[in-house]
Amino acid sequence: MAHYGVAVDVYFPDNQACSMVRVKRSSGHVVGDKVVIKDDVLTRLERSSELSRMDARGGIHIVGANLDVLCIVVSCEPLPPPGFIDRAIVAARAGNLRPVLIVNKSDLACFAGYHALVQKVYRESVKIFTLSAEDGTGLETLNTFFSEGHRGVFVGPTGVGKSSILNSLLPEINLTTGEISETKKRGRNTTTVSTLHLLRDGGELVDSPGFNDFGMVDISIQQLAAYFPGFEKAGQESCRFRDCKHREEPDCKVIELVEQEQIDRERYTIYLQMLSEVEGVEIQPKYRDRRHRRKKN
Ligand SMILES: Nc1nc2c(ncn2[C@@H]2O[C@H](COP(=O)(O)OP(=O)(O)OP(=O)(O)O)[C@@H](O)[C@H]2O)c(=O)[nH]1
Ligand SMILES: [Mg+2]
């Protein structure tokens, strides 16, 4: 349920209670892990899913395990960094999670314009929830969705209201929330530990610390080409080449749709930037191997 450095909180379904269990700092457990405990030793069971991200310094973080939904939480204040939503959607799809978007703070004046933009770009790609943790708008719809038995994690920049939404769904948990800074209009990294919560009518949700960098981990060119939000309308098998990168290949359906203005040119440019990034990552190890070999000889 939570990982506090040298201890983890474990939920025991049989007696519906939590207990703190000591672990090594580097035990590798993450929120959502299923474990068995025998003679005070915690053994992790195989994960059905795992979602990772890379931070700006190249550090890899596992966001959670055994999840089926990624809730990308955004707001008009603070705004997410450019590319955050796209990276999160691609990472979720590559990890077999269903990405959904939650646009929080519908009570703010800046909401309408931002919401319209999000709807325009992502409406045909993912389910979008409109919410206000402040006045309760949309909470019941979110609760109903999770009551179908989903287990999701909230990810998003600091200050968008992840913990506030969970507090509104489950007032008794009383997670700490933090004011947005007046000058920088950003959050204050209030949440520092991911915690899993059982929802009232079924389903589970993980609150996690806010972050800005959703660097893609182990995403292949083919995954990016298939999962980039907005390319769904091109269909999976409609390019001439099965491994089409949608850059300069002949009979590429994506390029055709860009030319017909059915895929926004700006969105396509963002895709090309992400493609170069993924190619950089894919090419790097080969160079490393070659250097390595030369050294040995
Ligand atoms: N107006 C308005 N403010 C909100 C809403 N939801 C959250 N806030 C405010 O936004 C600020 C940040 O909320 P948090 O819930 O701490 O945000 P967080 O995403 O959990 O932030 P981190 O834990 O730092 O990642 C607080 O001052 C909340 O009161 C909302 O729907 N409307
Ligand atoms: Mg929080």
Side-chain angles (χ1 to χ4, degrees):
M1 306 295 277
H3 193 320
Y4 304 99
V6 292
V8 292
D9 228 353
V10 180
Y11 177 73
F12 296 86
D14 290 348
N15 49 4
Q16 298 189 358
C18 276
S19 270
M20 204 79 121
V21 181
R22 290 187 72 84
V23 289
K24 284 192 183 133
R25 189 168 284 279
S26 57
S27 70
H29 294 94
V30 297
V31 160
D33 266 330
K34 293 195 169 99
V35 293
V36 284
I37 303 179
K38 207 170 166 207
D39 303 329
D40 277 346
V41 178
L42 207 66
T43 311
R44 192 169 71 223
L45 301 181
E46 203 181 321
R47 292 172 179 158
S48 64
S49 77
E50 180 182 281
L51 183 79
S52 304
R53 68 167 184 104
M54 199 187 287
D55 65 26
R57 283 177 291 185
I60 292 176
H61 305 263
I62 300 177
V63 178
N66 303 317
L67 305 159
D68 70 321
V69 174
L70 178 72
C71 301
I72 307 157
V73 188
V74 293
S75 71
C76 57
E77 192 179 281
L79 282 167
F84 186 94
I85 299 177
D86 297 321
R87 282 155 209 280
I89 291 176
V90 171
R93 287 175 169 170
N96 261 331
L97 271 74
R98 175 178 174 183
V100 302
L101 261 174
I102 297 180
V103 192
N104 190 34
K105 308 199 184 183
S106 68
D107 56 294
L108 293 183
C110 60
F111 173 80
Y114 181 62
H115 184 243
L117 193 79
V118 168
Q119 285 282 353
K120 180 170 168 268
V121 178
Y122 297 104
R123 185 180 41 214
E124 288 171 21
S125 302
V126 294
K127 190 174 176 62
I128 302 176
F129 294 93
T130 297
L131 225 76
S132 168
E134 185 81 9
D135 68 17
T137 304
L139 282 177
E140 212 33 63
T141 314
L142 188 69
N143 194 51
T144 306
F145 173 76
F146 275 95
S147 70
E148 291 163 10
H150 297 297
R151 177 191 264 185
V153 59
F154 281 171
V155 294
T158 172
V160 294
K162 300 177 292 300
S163 306
S164 302
I165 298 171
L166 262 160
N167 280 344
S168 304
L169 289 168
L170 297 166
E172 67 279 8
I173 60 176
N174 203 11
L175 296 168
T176 309
T177 62
E179 293 286 310
I180 305 291
S181 102
E182 267 307 309
T183 43
K184 293 185 187 155
K185 298 284 181 210
R186 67 182 297 276
R188 298 171 192 269
N189 293 100
T190 309
T191 304
T192 54
V193 171
S194 295
T195 50
L196 189 145
H197 305 274
L198 309 181
L199 298 178
R200 182 162 38 89
D201 302 319
E204 295 157 59
L205 260 171
V206 176
D207 183 30
S208 71
F211 57 82
N212 276 338
D213 309 308
F214 209 125
M216 294 174 291
V217 181
D218 292 336
I219 301 288
S220 69
I221 292 167
Q222 286 323 306
Q223 284 174 322
L224 177 65
Y227 299 145
F228 185 78
F231 288 2
E232 297 87 358
K233 59 182 97 165
Q236 288 278 342
E237 312 267 317
S238 40
C239 298
R240 188 202 295 184
F241 299 111
R242 282 191 65 191
D243 60 350
C244 185
K245 294 183 199 170
H246 317 315
R247 187 189 267 132
E248 55 203 359
E249 294 82 351
D251 296 333
C252 166
K253 186 76 185 167
V254 168
I255 297 174
E256 187 188 312
L257 291 177
V258 173
E259 281 162 1
Q260 291 170 356
E261 295 183 2
Q262 288 189 53
I263 290 178
D264 190 68
R265 209 164 272 279
E266 211 175 298
R267 296 287 305 148
Y268 182 60
T269 308
I270 295 172
Y271 166 74
L272 291 178
Q273 285 164 1
M274 283 172 69
L275 179 62
S276 303
E277 221 176 279
V278 171
E279 283 174 329
V281 172
E282 283 204 344
I283 289 161
Q284 242 172 20
K286 286 188 200 144
Y287 284 134
R288 227 184 288 142
D289 284 354
R290 232 173 270 158
R291 268 208 312 267
H292 194 62
R293 250 182 269 135
R294 228 179 276 143
K295 248 191 202 167
K296 267 181 157 173
N297 296 342

